[in-house]
Amino acid sequence: MYRFFDQFSSRNSKVWPCRCGQSLFFRNSQCLACSAALGYQSEQSRLSSLQPAEHPDAWLLDAAPEAGAFRRCTNLDSPAACNWLLPANHHETLCMACSLNRTIPDLSITENHERWRKVETAKRRLVAQLVSLGLQVIPKTVDEETGLAFDFIGMDLEGKPPTTGHANGLITLDIKEADDAHREQVRVQLHEPYRTLLGHFRHEVGHYYWDRLIASSHWLQPFRRLFGDERASYAEALERHYQQGAPLDWQQHYLSAYATMHPWEDWAETWAHYLHMMDAVDTALGFGMSARELDFDYQPFPPETLYDPQHPGGAVFLSFVNAWIELAGMLNELSRSMGQPDFYPFVLPPAVIAKLHFIHLVIQQEGGRADEVLQAQ
């Protein structure tokens, strides 16, 4: 047993204490023990119980009263049930995450209330992670050209469903993806091993950050050497993929069959899995999970699998990847013990480890906090 998981220190990044001592979790807006109001401060990645401030509708953080007064997002009382905060002197009424919405679901349709709640819960987790990595999250209302926005929509007047995807910073999601039965039906039809709202968001935002971080940067040529030339026709690649499927040896080079379709999709799939891995390992450590008693032997990835084996942070990143293999193996067995599908139904070949490391280096250069997140683990 290599126990790379034990090389990282335990942390408490996904569980916070209420003033009464009750454990609080990311999506909570009220303490279940003492009924205290709760709020999430995105800049500090912190959930705290709240005390009324001097001014009406203003609140102080029990965890950091010196941080000043905050207001709760106006979407708290909507079906979105947002628990995020914004500074009390801010001229907006929506928090950072909710301000990204360009179109919300038609709430005259009763089913859309629950759908929107699920969608916003997943989107807030996405945005919180992007902020923690130091990536810029700029709404299109602030910068139309380079900003980010979301459309959560259903069928048009002709009964045609929207296409989930990304275009020029706008991420569109078919609101029916929030229906578990519908999403599972689509997953089976497309022969996908995994399909979730958070997975959609992490994939599509990968396209957005390709435009922001790769397209006009010094990373473009290294990207092409590693992922392929994105100038290849996307339309032709899409048609070829759905007619012929993935190459027979795709599992030696890619995370998923869909990643083989075009370099942009390979990037977005790998980006999404990087975020999956970072968040899951961080959460596991936050709950004090340990691999000390785990009887799970495997051959760890060696340094030469990295994109840059000589990079000073390479050893830490490699330990993170190997820790993920340990964690995923353990959680897959837990899922099987409950008769559920695998927690992580994917295999990471060495070629993908290089791509993951490349993405880590890009994020670190842009946000400057990817290494910090790893080292905190």
Side-chain angles (χ1 to χ4, degrees):
M1 179 64 224
Y2 294 95
R3 297 177 185 166
F4 287 95
F5 205 71
D6 288 346
Q7 295 182 18
F8 295 102
S9 60
S10 179
R11 60 190 302 198
N12 195 33
S13 60
K14 298 299 172 70
V15 187
W16 298 266
C18 179
R19 60 172 176 258
C20 73
Q22 176 77 8
S23 293
L24 307 175
F25 302 95
F26 180 74
R27 62 193 296 175
N28 293 157
S29 59
Q30 185 178 46
C31 177
L32 298 179
C34 71
S35 299
L38 309 176
Y40 183 78
Q41 185 191 11
S42 58
E43 293 81 1
Q44 299 298 323
S45 302
R46 172 171 54 199
L47 183 70
S48 175
S49 51
L50 305 174
Q51 293 279 3
E54 180 179 352
H55 300 289
D57 298 322
W59 302 83
L60 297 176
L61 306 179
D62 283 325
E66 71 282 359
F70 292 86
R71 285 187 288 113
R72 305 178 86 181
C73 178
T74 193
N75 270 346
L76 171 67
D77 297 320
S78 76
C82 180
N83 66 343
W84 283 30
L85 302 170
L86 60 160
N89 59 1
H90 202 287
H91 66 281
E92 299 289 346
T93 60
L94 294 173
C95 70
M96 174 192 295
C98 290
S99 68
L100 298 172
N101 292 343
R102 192 182 77 162
T103 307
I104 65 171
D106 180 357
L107 296 181
S108 68
I109 301 174
T110 303
E111 293 82 0
N112 280 350
H113 289 231
E114 178 66 9
R115 291 167 177 167
W116 190 29
R117 183 191 65 78
K118 291 180 178 180
V119 164
E120 290 294 340
T121 298
K123 192 193 73 182
R124 286 194 293 272
R125 185 169 288 275
L126 167 75
V127 176
Q129 185 180 24
L130 298 176
V131 171
S132 73
L133 290 170
L135 291 168
Q136 286 191 318
V137 181
I138 303 172
K140 274 192 172 294
T141 52
V142 174
D143 188 332
E144 175 63 31
E145 183 177 353
T146 65
L148 179 65
F150 291 82
D151 277 354
F152 304 135
I153 55 180
M155 291 188 296
D156 61 20
L157 295 177
E158 298 178 353
K160 182 180 178 181
T163 299
T164 294
H166 166 267
N168 301 317
L170 177 63
I171 293 175
T172 301
L173 180 77
D174 181 354
I175 194 61
K176 286 195 70 176
E177 285 286 337
D179 291 338
D180 296 342
H182 170 81
R183 193 174 60 254
E184 176 64 9
Q185 182 182 31
V186 175
R187 186 194 69 79
V188 172
Q189 289 175 347
L190 297 179
H191 307 289
E192 296 175 343
Y194 172 92
R195 190 179 184 91
T196 67
L197 290 172
L198 186 55
H200 275 313
F201 286 146
R202 285 174 170 164
H203 175 100
E204 300 304 341
V205 87
H207 288 299
Y208 168 74
Y209 281 108
W210 189 92
D211 290 343
R212 301 278 69 79
L213 308 181
I214 302 295
S216 301
S217 76
H218 69 90
W219 292 108
L220 183 57
Q221 291 306 320
F223 166 86
R224 288 172 177 167
R225 289 193 293 269
L226 193 60
F227 290 86
D229 194 334
E230 84 291 347
R231 292 171 294 186
S233 170
Y234 187 89
E236 292 177 5
L238 184 65
E239 182 179 3
R240 181 172 60 252
H241 177 75
Y242 283 115
Q243 286 185 353
Q244 302 176 12
L248 293 178
D249 64 346
W250 69 265
Q251 291 175 315
Q252 298 179 28
H253 308 283
Y254 299 91
L255 263 167
S256 67
Y258 188 64
T260 70
M261 195 265 283
H262 188 274
W264 279 336
E265 298 304 339
D266 190 13
W267 162 271
E269 285 284 272
T270 310
W271 173 282
H273 281 255
Y274 172 84
L275 296 185
H276 288 333
M277 293 163 61
M278 290 284 277
D279 201 18
V281 170
D282 192 47
T283 299
L285 291 168
F287 280 94
M289 293 183 68
S290 171
R292 289 187 179 88
E293 305 301 325
L294 182 62
D295 185 16
F296 179 61
D297 283 338
Y298 72 99
Q299 189 64 36
F301 290 107
E304 53 266 27
T305 56
L306 295 175
Y307 168 72
D308 181 0
Q310 305 304 317
H311 192 275
V316 174
F317 183 82
L318 196 61
S319 290
F320 155 71
V321 170
N322 286 314
W324 167 250
I325 301 300
E326 292 177 345
L327 176 64
M330 177 170 59
L331 294 179
N332 281 346
E333 285 302 315
L334 282 173
S335 296
R336 294 164 190 166
S337 72
M338 292 293 292
Q340 295 293 321
D342 281 0
F343 170 83
Y344 188 72
F346 301 91
V347 176
L348 300 179
V352 169
I353 304 306
K355 295 173 184 177
L356 289 166
H357 190 218
F358 178 85
I359 287 173
H360 178 78
L361 295 179
V362 171
I363 292 176
Q364 172 60 24
Q365 183 183 79
E366 170 64 18
R369 292 169 62 180
D371 280 347
E372 178 183 324
V373 172
L374 276 188
Q375 290 164 2
Q377 292 175 356

